[in-house]
Amino acid sequence: MSSKPYILLLSFFICQLKLIAQNLPYAKGICKMLCSDEFSGRGYVNDGDALAAQFIRTQMKEIGLKPMADNYFQKFGFEVVCYPERVQLNVDGNDLFPGKDFIINPGCTGINGTFSTIKIDSALLDNTSQYNLLFSAKTRNCFLVVDQVKELKLLHPERINAILTNQVHAKGLLYCKKEKLTWGVAQHFADFPIVSILKPVLQNQPLVIDLKVDAEFKLHQTQNILGKITGKKYPDSVIVVSAHYDHLGMMGSFAKFPGANDNASGVAMMLDLAKHFSKKGSDYTLLFVAFAAEEAGLLGSLYYTENPIVPLQQIKLLLNLDLMSTGDKGMMVVNGTEFPDLFEQLKFQNSIGSYLPSIQARGKSANSDHYYFSEKGVQALFFYLMGEYHAYHDVEDDYEALTFSKYNESFELIADFIASF
Ligand SMILES: [Zn+2]
């Protein structure tokens, strides 16, 4: 008798076990909640990040993670510019949708008025007398409309640079953007307002714009959230799993940046891993950290490395999860080339589990919360999944857009990798 039926039976049971390990409905529920209106894009208006922090703490409590720091919270403050009220733009009598049709520059100062425009094109930049006229007082109450920046940079590098840095002292700049609009968080006011408009929205060269922006600069209090599972064999040696929970918040009272892939998805997987290991147990202590203020410049993880709750020397490894909702094109490991043994160990786990189509390595990059840890000598890897997902730092990065196409596989891979130490 062939051993095939037994092998089939065995693999069936292994598959069943695998299906039990991760919990996609739970992760989806977490993502949906974190992207909801209640949390206002987990930024700096309507207490968005504070409410999200309370929600994550409640999840950690329910999972049974032991509180770290001050009842799970490591508090700190930082300066930030935010937009709690009006961000409105009307072009030649037409109201545009904030976030969809236009964005302001992060750190845009408050402004309220009606302004005429001056079109900056190659003909104007070619003509020295016309170009010099831009430096007259007339320009001071105008917005300069700049289209095809790349082309202008090639043809007139010095003059376009003077325009883009607003050496002509215009009221502000108006960019026509062919592709997507991308926003961010600023800690200081910018020197002048910049409005980016999607090109298809602008039928004609705009003549008059009406712009209202209420901007607020504040010292904002926030918190990292930390909970742990004590290791059975090596309680003093710690594997950290981290994911930032903040996002960009709101650009005015209408445009919400939900931050689904970035990074509700990473928080959901981190909590799901916490759930998994709270049942299964771990040889090493596992510390789960939801970092704050990543989008404002990795501020939560920087604060931790300067004020560690678990000393950095006790951290055996840090795995940072950010952008975890796809995976059709595999996973990227930032710092993979810095820590080749860890990378090989991860690839081995992937090959025996046949989880993701590819695992790739990159070098150092200050692009998420692993960065200050590895700069201070901690072995730290940053995982992000790759696939067909184009929303990023925009209003489209919402729960409905998530596919979770390789959620189960990437969860299993990371869980196996953690258990392999
Ligand atoms: Zn992120």
Side-chain angles (χ1 to χ4, degrees):
M1 192 175 136
S2 137
S3 63
K4 220 174 172 186
Y6 296 104
I7 292 169
L8 282 175
L9 202 63
L10 190 66
S11 40
F12 173 75
F13 281 121
I14 289 171
C15 286
Q16 290 299 301
L17 282 174
K18 294 283 184 201
L19 287 175
I20 294 163
Q22 39 64 34
N23 189 344
L24 182 55
Y26 172 76
K28 283 186 171 176
I30 297 290
C31 281
K32 192 171 185 180
M33 192 65 194
L34 289 173
C35 296
S36 67
D37 288 346
E38 196 174 332
F39 299 132
S40 303
R42 306 187 303 281
Y44 310 107
V45 301
N46 306 332
D47 290 327
D49 74 331
L51 292 168
Q54 285 169 21
F55 171 74
I56 293 165
R57 172 164 69 182
T58 303
Q59 293 301 315
M60 286 189 175
K61 271 186 192 167
E62 281 176 8
I63 290 167
L65 299 186
K66 281 191 189 156
M68 299 291 284
D70 179 9
N71 192 19
Y72 299 91
F73 281 0
Q74 181 186 36
K75 294 178 184 166
F76 65 99
F78 68 102
E79 293 171 336
V80 68
V81 180
C82 61
Y83 301 92
E85 289 171 39
R86 290 177 305 179
V87 174
Q88 298 167 1
L89 176 65
N90 179 295
V91 176
D92 295 329
N94 298 312
D95 286 330
L96 302 192
F97 284 105
K100 286 200 170 90
D101 297 339
F102 78 94
I103 55 163
I104 54 173
N105 51 330
C108 180
T109 44
I111 185 170
N112 182 358
T114 302
F115 311 99
S116 53
T117 67
I118 299 169
K119 185 182 181 182
I120 305 297
D121 57 15
S122 199
L124 185 148
L125 295 178
D126 260 343
N127 184 319
T128 298
S129 59
Q130 270 198 36
Y131 173 75
N132 287 337
L133 270 180
L134 288 174
F135 290 83
S136 69
K138 262 188 173 179
T139 307
R140 302 245 155 111
N141 208 36
C142 293
F143 267 70
L144 307 181
V145 181
V146 189
D147 194 358
Q148 298 180 314
V149 174
K150 270 186 197 163
E151 290 83 343
L152 293 178
K153 272 184 179 168
L154 285 175
L155 292 168
H156 318 273
E158 272 173 33
R159 287 184 176 183
I160 195 64
N161 185 47
I163 300 290
L164 298 180
T165 52
N166 200 17
Q167 290 170 30
V168 302
H169 301 294
K171 193 55 120 179
L173 297 186
L174 198 158
Y175 282 123
C176 303
K177 287 260 179 179
K178 264 190 213 146
E179 293 123 27
K180 69 186 295 297
L181 301 172
T182 301
W183 208 41
V185 178
Q187 285 199 269
H188 307 283
F189 278 123
D191 293 336
F192 51 91
I194 301 173
V195 180
S196 298
I197 306 185
L198 270 187
K199 207 167 177 183
V201 176
L202 287 177
Q203 301 291 335
N204 306 302
Q205 164 70 16
L207 300 175
V208 177
I209 69 164
D210 188 84
L211 180 63
K212 292 182 177 66
V213 174
D214 297 321
E216 191 185 317
F217 175 79
K218 64 177 178 181
L219 178 63
H220 181 79
Q221 294 298 322
T222 190
Q223 54 281 306
N224 297 324
I225 315 152
L226 306 92
K228 76 169 178 180
I229 298 167
T230 305
K232 288 181 284 192
K233 274 194 192 163
Y234 313 107
D236 295 332
S237 186
V238 180
I239 297 176
V240 181
V241 182
S242 68
H244 76 87
Y245 69 94
D246 63 295
H247 196 58
L248 311 179
M250 307 277 296
M251 191 188 79
S253 45
F254 293 107
K256 181 184 82 179
F257 291 74
N261 190 34
D262 185 11
N263 184 29
S265 67
V267 174
M269 191 177 284
M270 179 192 72
L271 290 173
D272 197 6
L273 285 162
K275 243 183 154 173
H276 168 78
F277 283 104
S278 73
K279 288 185 201 127
K280 186 176 180 272
S282 165
D283 287 347
Y284 288 88
T285 288
L286 300 181
L287 174 65
F288 297 90
V289 188
F291 282 120
E294 191 264 0
E295 304 291 3
L298 316 179
L299 299 182
S301 48
L302 174 63
Y303 187 82
Y304 183 98
T305 58
E306 289 172 348
N307 305 271
I309 303 293
V310 168
L312 299 183
Q313 311 86 274
Q314 281 186 33
I315 300 178
K316 180 179 176 57
L317 170 67
L318 178 139
L319 304 177
N320 180 53
L321 313 178
D322 196 350
L323 315 172
M324 296 302 288
S325 78
T326 59
D328 312 274
K329 293 186 178 166
M331 187 161 88
M332 181 60 81
V333 181
V334 178
N335 274 351
T337 57
E338 296 285 307
F339 304 106
D341 294 348
L342 289 173
F343 182 66
E344 286 308 317
Q345 192 172 334
L346 180 73
K347 280 216 314 198
F348 175 70
Q349 293 297 331
N350 190 53
S351 65
I352 57 174
S354 308
Y355 294 126
L356 294 174
S358 84
I359 308 281
Q360 296 173 43
R362 271 176 65 173
K364 275 187 190 185
S365 180
N367 57 357
S368 193
D369 289 318
H370 62 288
Y371 178 71
Y372 288 111
F373 286 88
S374 52
E375 286 300 288
K376 292 193 172 167
V378 176
Q379 296 193 102
L381 302 176
F382 162 28
F383 296 159
Y384 63 87
L385 295 177
M386 298 179 292
E388 292 301 324
Y389 195 83
H390 302 291
Y392 177 73
H393 284 199
D394 57 33
V395 294
E396 314 290 333
D397 183 17
D398 205 352
Y399 174 73
E400 283 71 30
L402 299 179
T403 63
F404 299 98
S405 49
K406 294 282 180 192
Y407 179 84
N408 295 348
E409 292 83 350
S410 44
F411 178 99
E412 300 293 349
L413 169 61
I414 296 166
D416 285 0
F417 184 55
I418 291 170
S420 71
F421 288 92

